[in-house]
Amino acid sequence: YADLSDDRRTYERAVQIIDTVEPGAYVLAASWFEVAPLEYLHVVEQRRLDVTVLQWTEIPIPELYRLINSQGDTHPFYVTDSISWLAERYDLEYLEECDCYRIR
């Protein structure tokens, strides 16, 4: 009834993100549905191994703040969606080429 075997939107979005972010970047994704395709690119395709993918919902917010503050000068941070608590503390620059946000 719902053959989605040709639906490649999730894969293509993951490729779009992973191919756009800067070297050494951290990508913060909200859910397993976003993390899994990015991890697939790492593990199966061995693509962009310099990029670290994190599911931010699994990390306490104070730890994320510490990570961004301690690594933000040397590693760029991206987030897959605009998140209000991040936007209160950091500038989120929307990047059309990856449909994601650069944390500044």
Side-chain angles (χ1 to χ4, degrees), residues 21-22 25-29 56 64-65 67-69 71-73 75-83 85-95 98 100-104:
V21 300
E22 297 169 68
Y26 283 85
V27 176
L28 307 177
W56 68 260
L64 279 173
Y65 286 151
L67 179 64
I68 293 168
N69 292 336
Q71 298 292 314
D73 290 338
H75 297 277
F77 279 79
Y78 296 83
V79 65
T80 57
D81 293 302
S82 178
I83 302 167
W85 56 266
L86 269 176
E88 290 172 3
R89 184 170 258 189
Y90 306 100
D91 290 327
L92 300 182
E93 175 189 358
Y94 178 73
L95 303 173
C98 68
C100 64
Y101 296 83
R102 170 76 156 85
I103 300 171
R104 301 231 180 244

Side-chain angles (χ1 to χ4, degrees), residues 12-77:
E12 290 167 359
R13 176 148 192 264
V15 168
Q16 183 180 11
I17 291 169
I18 211 82
D19 285 352
T20 300
V21 300
E22 297 169 68
Y26 283 85
V27 176
L28 307 177
S31 70
W32 178 85
F33 295 106
E34 291 180 322
V35 171
L38 293 165
E39 288 295 329
Y40 174 87
L41 295 174
H42 271 151
V43 175
V44 176
E45 295 188 4
Q46 294 290 296
R47 198 167 182 161
R48 290 301 306 271
L49 300 178
D50 62 304
V51 174
T52 302
V53 178
L54 300 172
Q55 184 175 341
W56 68 260
T57 56
E58 298 294 318
I59 303 169
I61 292 173
E63 286 185 34
L64 279 173
Y65 286 151
R66 278 194 291 279
L67 179 64
I68 293 168
N69 292 336
S70 68
Q71 298 292 314
D73 290 338
T74 56
H75 297 277
F77 279 79

